[in-house]
Amino acid sequence: MVVFEQQKLGALALLALCLLYYAVSLVDAGRPALEPAIPWGRQEPGSLTVGVSGGRAEGIYFIPRGTRLAQLPEIVGIPEIAAGLHGREQRVPDGALLSIPSAGVITIGEMGAATRLALGLRLDLNRASAEDLLLVPGIGERLAAQIINLRLAKGGFGDIEELLAVPGIKDKRLKNLAGYLMVGPAGPGAI
C-alpha cells in the first residue's frame, strides 16, 4: 500500500487535534460545576415550588419548606417589594404564585392547574374547577362533572378517599388519581 505525504500530514494533524481536545477536557474537568443562574433553581426533596409573576424576578423557584412570606422577596432577588406584602408571617404554601403588578398591591395566589401539574404538584379537590380536572389523566368531562357535583353536595372533600363515592372510581383508579389530586389544608396558611 502506498501512503502519500499529504495523507501522512493529514493523519498527523488529526492526531494533534485529538490530543489538544483531550488536554482541554482534562483542564476543564478540574473546574467546579457552574451553579444554576437562579440561586433557588434546584428542586430538592422537601422544597416548595413557588411562582413569581411580573417584575424582573418572574419565574419558578424551589424554596425551603417553612419559608415565610416576608422572606420571599429576598429569595427571589427583589427585596424592595417586601413592604408591599400583607400577612408577612404567613408560611408560603406549595404552588403559591406571587403577583407583582407594575403598580398596585402585591398579591399571593395559586399557580394555574396546568402549571401545577407540569411541575408535579397535585390539584386541590376543593379548589379545582371542572376545566382543571380535565387536565388530569383519566378524567373526562363526565367524571369531572360528577366530582364537582359530589363536592357541592358534600360541601367539600375531607379526604381523597371520598372520591370512591363517584360512580366509575374504584380503588385502582383512585390510586392513579392520587398522584394528581389531594385535599389541601383549610384555614390559616391556605391560599
Side-chain angles (χ1 to χ4, degrees), residues 12 32 42 81 83 85 121 124 138 145 150 154 158 168 173 180 183:
L12 188 58
R42 285 183 296 230
I81 70 161
L85 292 173
L121 301 175
D124 186 343
L150 180 61
K154 295 176 75 51
R173 191 170 204 181
Y180 302 98
V183 175

Side-chain angles (χ1 to χ4, degrees), residues 38-40 48-53 56-100 106-109 111 191:
I38 301 172
W40 301 91
L48 300 174
T49 306
V50 176
V52 176
S53 172
R56 67 178 187 269
E58 190 159 323
I60 302 293
Y61 295 82
F62 302 104
I63 63 173
R65 192 166 297 283
T67 299
R68 298 192 182 282
L69 190 54
Q71 298 169 295
L72 199 53
E74 185 71 35
I75 289 173
V76 301
I78 45 175
E80 64 272 13
I81 70 161
L85 292 173
H86 300 289
R88 298 169 46 81
E89 292 307 309
Q90 171 186 346
R91 292 192 189 279
V92 179
D94 205 11
L97 177 65
L98 181 68
S99 296
I100 308 167
I106 296 163
T107 60
I108 186 156
M111 288 180 193
I191 12 179

Side-chain angles (χ1 to χ4, degrees), residues 39-187:
W40 301 91
R42 285 183 296 230
Q43 188 174 17
E44 297 174 354
S47 64
L48 300 174
T49 306
V50 176
V52 176
S53 172
R56 67 178 187 269
E58 190 159 323
I60 302 293
Y61 295 82
F62 302 104
I63 63 173
R65 192 166 297 283
T67 299
R68 298 192 182 282
L69 190 54
Q71 298 169 295
L72 199 53
E74 185 71 35
I75 289 173
V76 301
I78 45 175
E80 64 272 13
I81 70 161
L85 292 173
H86 300 289
R88 298 169 46 81
E89 292 307 309
Q90 171 186 346
R91 292 192 189 279
V92 179
D94 205 11
L97 177 65
L98 181 68
S99 296
I100 308 167
S102 56
V105 179
I106 296 163
T107 60
I108 186 156
E110 191 171 326
M111 288 180 193
T115 303
R116 289 180 66 84
L117 290 171
L119 291 168
L121 301 175
R122 296 179 295 166
L123 300 180
D124 186 343
L125 276 171
N126 289 324
R127 296 172 191 229
S129 68
E131 292 78 23
D132 294 343
L133 292 173
L134 288 173
L135 298 172
V136 175
I139 296 182
E141 289 182 23
R142 188 169 138 245
L143 189 57
Q146 290 174 322
I147 292 171
I148 297 295
N149 289 337
L150 180 61
R151 179 176 72 196
L152 292 172
K154 295 176 75 51
F157 292 105
D159 189 87
I160 193 168
E161 301 285 328
E162 294 175 31
L163 284 178
L164 291 171
V166 175
I169 297 182
K170 303 289 183 228
D171 288 331
K172 183 178 178 182
R173 191 170 204 181
L174 179 65
K175 186 177 177 184
N176 291 336
L177 293 176
Y180 302 98
L181 302 170
M182 56 124 180
V183 175

